[in-house]
Amino acid sequence: SENGCASMKRGAKAREHGICNIHFVPVVDEKSGKSGVLEYGVSTTAQLSRATLDATLKMQAESSGAAYAVYWKKEYTTGVVVGSPYVAEWHRKELAAKGKKLSYAEISQAVTYDMLGESPVAKVMRARQAQYAPDVKKVLNSERAKLAEEYLIGSSAFVPVLGGVIEFGASISRPWVNGEEDALKQIMPNEEITAALRAGATYIMYW
């Protein structure tokens, strides 16, 4: 489950350290059988460094065969693209063949999302759970859906990372044949602690 800081007795301390998303996960020790609760918090002020971000976007795109990758950061109640998007060289070439000088990822830098809304970016930012969109036109607002089609993007995935969300997508010329399995194969942790770290946790506490 997830709780906002405002409802916690430790809320003031959490906000002081830039924590506003708190998660509580039930766990059981396999050897002793004892039950416990894993608590972890996600910072709203921390974010990937420029070098780490560039490397992460590139590796995420390459490992999944994606055409692009961008990093969304929460600024108050608005989601914005931070840093330089990654665009695969092969995708730039197919865009150039269509007379396109910019990519869908680069045009998305002008887009913002309401973090209280129902966009994939907002949902993943709040719930810290990855989402896969087999047809981006069905989950994006009409303006961005048209851009996706115009700039050859068919499917997208959204995954939580430190301080934000990484969005990456497949070109219609190189779709994810196995859908979600291909898109999220590198970011599907099974253990609770690994899941917390992948979700962008800035601390882990076992109760």
Side-chain angles (χ1 to χ4, degrees), residues 88-162:
E89 189 60 33
W90 60 265
H91 184 52
R92 286 198 181 280
K93 291 180 179 179
E94 69 175 2
L95 286 171
K98 296 288 186 179
K100 303 295 184 183
K101 295 183 178 180
L102 295 175
S103 68
Y104 174 69
E106 290 159 334
I107 289 177
S108 294
Q109 289 180 289
V111 175
T112 61
Y113 280 116
D114 176 6
M115 289 295 93
L116 301 178
E118 295 302 308
S119 69
V121 172
K123 288 181 177 180
V124 175
M125 193 79 75
R126 293 196 303 265
R128 311 305 293 172
Q129 296 290 327
Q131 283 197 10
Y132 169 65
D135 184 351
V136 293
K137 295 190 298 297
K138 294 182 178 180
V139 298
L140 300 178
N141 60 40
S142 58
E143 178 184 359
R144 201 162 182 233
K146 292 178 181 178
L147 291 174
E149 184 173 18
E150 181 180 350
Y151 286 84
L152 313 180
I153 298 301
S155 306
S156 290
F158 306 82
V159 299
V161 294
L162 178 64

Side-chain angles (χ1 to χ4, degrees), residues 188-203:
M188 297 288 282
N190 296 315
E191 300 299 323
E192 289 89 347
I193 292 178
T194 303
L197 295 173
R198 288 290 182 87
T202 48
Y203 78 89

Side-chain angles (χ1 to χ4, degrees), residues 5-151:
C5 291
S7 63
M8 297 179 61
K9 291 183 178 179
R10 293 178 288 141
K13 282 292 183 182
R15 290 191 295 273
E16 179 183 339
H17 293 279
I19 305 293
C20 82
N21 290 323
I22 309 291
H23 301 251
F24 300 91
V25 182
V27 294
V28 178
D29 186 289
E30 294 181 357
K31 293 184 178 180
S32 68
K34 292 183 178 180
S35 299
V37 174
L38 180 74
E39 173 189 335
Y40 68 90
V42 179
S43 172
T44 56
T45 57
Q47 67 180 58
L48 298 177
S49 68
R50 179 60 184 271
T52 301
L53 175 58
D54 290 346
T56 300
L57 293 178
K58 184 175 187 293
M59 288 189 293
Q60 184 61 68
E62 290 182 344
S63 66
S64 62
Y68 76 94
V70 298
Y71 176 59
W72 293 90
K73 171 74 176 174
K74 182 179 178 181
E75 299 288 352
Y76 299 101
T77 60
T78 302
V80 298
V81 172
V82 174
S84 300
Y86 172 79
V87 183
E89 189 60 33
W90 60 265
H91 184 52
R92 286 198 181 280
K93 291 180 179 179
E94 69 175 2
L95 286 171
K98 296 288 186 179
K100 303 295 184 183
K101 295 183 178 180
L102 295 175
S103 68
Y104 174 69
E106 290 159 334
I107 289 177
S108 294
Q109 289 180 289
V111 175
T112 61
Y113 280 116
D114 176 6
M115 289 295 93
L116 301 178
E118 295 302 308
S119 69
V121 172
K123 288 181 177 180
V124 175
M125 193 79 75
R126 293 196 303 265
R128 311 305 293 172
Q129 296 290 327
Q131 283 197 10
Y132 169 65
D135 184 351
V136 293
K137 295 190 298 297
K138 294 182 178 180
V139 298
L140 300 178
N141 60 40
S142 58
E143 178 184 359
R144 201 162 182 233
K146 292 178 181 178
L147 291 174
E149 184 173 18
E150 181 180 350
Y151 286 84

